Amino acid sequence: MGSELNRLTISEARERLRRREITSRELTRDCLERIAALEPRLNAFITVCETEAMAQAAEADRRLAQSDAPSLCGIPLGIKDIYCTRGVRTTCASKILGNFTPPFDATVIEKLRAEGAVFVGKANMDEFAMGSSTENSAFGPTRNPHDLERVAGGSSGGSAAAVAADECLASLGTDTGGSIRLPASFCGVVGIKPTYSRVSRYGVVAYASSLDQVGPLARTVRDAAAVLRAVAGADPRDSTCSARPVPDYERALSGEVRGMRIGVPREYFVEGMDGAVEGAVRGALKRLESMGARTVEISLPHTDYAVAAYYLIATAEASANLARYDGVRYGLRAGADNNIELYNRTRAQGFGAEVKRRIMLGTFALSAGYYDAYYLKAQKVRTLIRRDFERAFESCDLVAAPVAPTTAFRLGEKTGDPLKMYLSDIFTISVNLAGLPAMSVPCGADEGALPIGLQLIGPPFGEEAILRAGDAWERAGGFARRAPQL
Ligand code: GLN
């Protein structure tokens, strides 16, 4: 104790592991001790994998003893409980998968295992990734490490809180409508949602398949770049995954933003936004200008329709994806006399209220007589939103915006009003509809010391530019990470 290796960044830990100053076992033990101390208050993990993690760390130490260990060898990570992990329960924060232990690994888990990464646990989330606060978890909400009365954001709230609270060095989340960026912003860590198709989704429990994307959360942009590189790339088992070669993202971090044109969308600075959020984002833009970037005003005229279009498309896809939970093949099985009763009872008992609401909304939007009015129209709006961005990227290299209109809200503040909750995603959703990469990087704090995120959005496969700008901002002093007082 006392060494607190769990506070290191991946870059620092990697160096010290290579120089044999520390072992992965020591590093992993410090993370597990931190988890044991904080979890009763934080609830960032659904399952802690103590024994497995220590065995992986021992194996990593053996690899590190030989030369040329991969970049994440021995690094303790948290994994959102949406990733199938062989032999380790994967619940998706739902009662319906409460007893499900996958017989296989998701491709990204396989890749991280090959790197020698250590998995300390399965992180809490909103049930089936539906939510913006991690309050829709069957295992209770995750609390924000900066203020335990507040939400961590969602749906990857456990992944963000665990990194912010130094329970692990980085984590994996997923982002369908903002689920990496929103919790990253609320918890004061870096989170990147890559371009749609950049990372394999094989073995990732599906929510809305035309929007879902895998991505890392970390304490620095460089660390996020390292994890992204390890998980990205083609996968013969996921035909939606791009074959485009994966760049060495860390090499893109030149610290330079000179000449970069940053678009500032008029529609993203709206009434109802916290003064502190607007101030921090505008302050960051000024700073980037002083470093040689140029800001240009742009317009994304269909922004107003994004939330409506998203909540039609996402729920429609979810209603189809979630049809597989019927009590027959895996997960919860309710007692029943016949098949129909089995389906009904299993689904009635297994799904939480928000998931049921989404299945009903989606089924309605797809049903005969309503399809054209809702689903089809939403798809057309989606095309218009994608075109807005295409046009914008003719005059800029990146778009900068807030991640959310507010800082972390109080637990329970929005649970009674789904629409209010959906509106938390107002600045993140368009990016998923357009399939673009985007990152949240800490850029300030409000009067209550709650973190604020700056969102950097790129054109398709523009991850390097996003990471370069975010890293340059961090190096220039950006916003020094304030460790939560726990
Ligand atoms: N909050 C959004 C939703 O509930 C986004 C969730 C996500 O990105 N997984 O659908």
Side-chain angles (χ1 to χ4, degrees):
M1 256 314 276
S3 48
E4 300 197 324
L5 299 176
N6 54 306
R7 292 181 187 275
L8 296 176
T9 63
I10 292 180
S11 314
E12 291 163 350
R14 191 158 67 181
E15 261 322 289
R16 295 180 64 178
L17 285 167
R18 278 206 192 124
R19 283 197 248 113
R20 316 262 169 89
E21 289 168 15
I22 60 171
T23 65
S24 174
R25 275 162 300 161
E26 290 162 348
L27 179 59
T28 303
R29 199 169 303 122
D30 281 359
C31 288
L32 290 168
E33 276 176 14
R34 180 76 170 165
I35 289 173
L38 290 187
E39 276 306 285
R41 280 180 288 159
L42 222 52
N43 200 27
F45 286 100
I46 291 174
T47 305
V48 178
C49 307
E50 204 172 329
T51 319
E52 295 90 337
M54 287 313 296
Q56 289 160 353
E59 175 56 29
D61 283 334
R62 275 192 288 277
R63 280 174 80 174
L64 284 157
Q66 297 143 17
S67 51
D68 278 349
S71 136
L72 297 180
C73 192
I75 302 293
L77 303 176
I79 304 293
K80 188 178 185 178
D81 207 19
I82 198 169
Y83 292 91
C84 285
T85 40
R86 187 170 17 94
V88 175
R89 178 170 82 138
T90 298
T91 69
C92 230
S94 181
K95 279 200 279 188
I96 215 159
L97 286 175
N99 64 2
F100 173 59
T101 300
F104 70 105
D105 276 329
T107 295
V108 294
I109 298 299
E110 213 168 60
K111 288 190 179 196
L112 290 173
R113 276 196 213 280
E115 285 263 321
V118 172
F119 305 132
V120 293
K122 302 295 295 286
N124 202 2
M125 54 184 282
D126 285 297
E127 183 178 6
F128 285 105
M130 297 175 186
S132 311
S133 66
T134 312
E135 290 168 293
N136 298 332
S137 167
F139 299 85
T142 295
R143 290 166 183 271
N144 192 311
H146 294 273
D147 178 347
L148 296 172
E149 296 311 311
R150 292 179 186 265
V151 301
S155 64
S156 315
S159 303
V163 172
D166 300 319
E167 294 183 321
C168 51
L169 274 57
S171 63
L172 282 187
T174 57
D175 192 313
T176 303
S179 278
I180 289 174
R181 291 160 285 156
L182 186 66
S185 169
F186 281 7
C187 292
V189 299
V190 174
I192 180 161
K193 173 232 173 277
T195 307
Y196 183 78
S197 83
R198 182 65 291 185
V199 185
S200 164
R201 301 174 301 167
Y202 176 78
V204 185
V205 178
Y207 161 16
S209 306
S210 77
L211 300 158
D212 297 341
Q213 189 51 218
V214 164
L217 295 98
R219 293 200 277 267
T220 66
V221 172
R222 180 172 290 277
D223 285 3
V227 179
L228 178 58
R229 185 187 182 204
V231 295
D235 179 6
R237 289 177 297 191
D238 177 359
S239 60
T240 66
C241 190
S242 170
R244 215 177 148 109
V246 180
D248 181 344
Y249 294 117
E250 284 189 76
R251 292 224 349 229
L253 308 181
S254 62
E256 205 34 87
V257 290
R258 203 162 297 281
M260 198 179 253
R261 297 166 305 165
I262 300 180
V264 184
R266 182 176 316 139
E267 293 81 3
Y268 280 54
F269 293 86
V270 290
E271 236 175 278
M273 178 151 100
D274 268 9
V277 172
E278 173 157 10
V281 171
R282 291 213 188 271
L285 287 170
K286 281 242 160 62
R287 184 71 163 278
L288 285 164
E289 275 178 336
S290 75
M291 293 159 61
R294 202 149 53 77
T295 57
V296 289
E297 197 187 45
I298 58 159
S299 173
L300 298 167
H302 296 93
T303 299
D304 265 0
Y305 308 104
V307 172
Y310 169 87
Y311 276 95
L312 284 163
I313 294 169
T315 57
E317 294 184 15
S319 71
N321 273 329
L322 270 56
R324 71 190 70 173
Y325 305 104
D326 54 11
V328 175
R329 285 160 289 191
Y330 42 72
L332 182 77
R333 174 180 299 190
D337 295 331
N338 59 56
N339 277 351
I340 300 298
E341 213 175 276
L342 170 70
Y343 304 152
N344 286 344
R345 287 205 187 147
T346 300
R347 291 167 70 82
Q349 289 171 22
F351 289 135
E354 181 62 26
V355 173
K356 287 177 184 162
R357 179 181 294 122
R358 305 266 180 125
I359 292 172
M360 286 189 275
L361 279 170
T363 305
F364 177 77
L366 287 175
S367 55
Y370 297 101
Y371 181 95
D372 290 354
Y374 295 111
Y375 182 73
L376 193 64
K377 196 174 267 174
Q379 292 290 14
K380 291 179 177 169
V381 170
R382 180 176 190 170
T383 301
L384 295 174
I385 287 171
R386 182 174 331 111
R387 286 197 194 136
D388 280 357
F389 279 103
E390 279 165 13
R391 207 159 301 132
F393 284 120
E394 285 167 10
S395 62
C396 64
D397 305 304
L398 283 185
V399 169
V403 175
T406 66
T407 51
F409 44 89
R410 288 183 186 285
L411 285 153
E413 192 177 320
K414 300 192 182 183
T415 42
D417 185 347
L419 198 56
K420 233 178 171 177
M421 189 70 89
Y422 299 169
L423 285 171
S424 319
D425 309 332
I426 190 162
F427 298 143
T428 49
I429 266 174
S430 298
V431 161
N432 300 76
L433 290 169
L436 304 173
M439 178 167 73
S440 175
V441 60
C443 76
D446 70 6
E447 321 67 54
L450 295 170
I452 297 170
L454 167 70
Q455 183 172 208
L456 297 171
I457 306 168
F461 299 99
E463 283 83 0
E464 287 169 285
I466 293 176
L467 292 163
R468 185 181 308 127
D471 168 70
W473 156 256
E474 269 181 0
R475 285 198 217 184
F479 179 70
R481 191 176 96 87
R482 198 173 301 140
Q485 301 302 310
L486 281 158

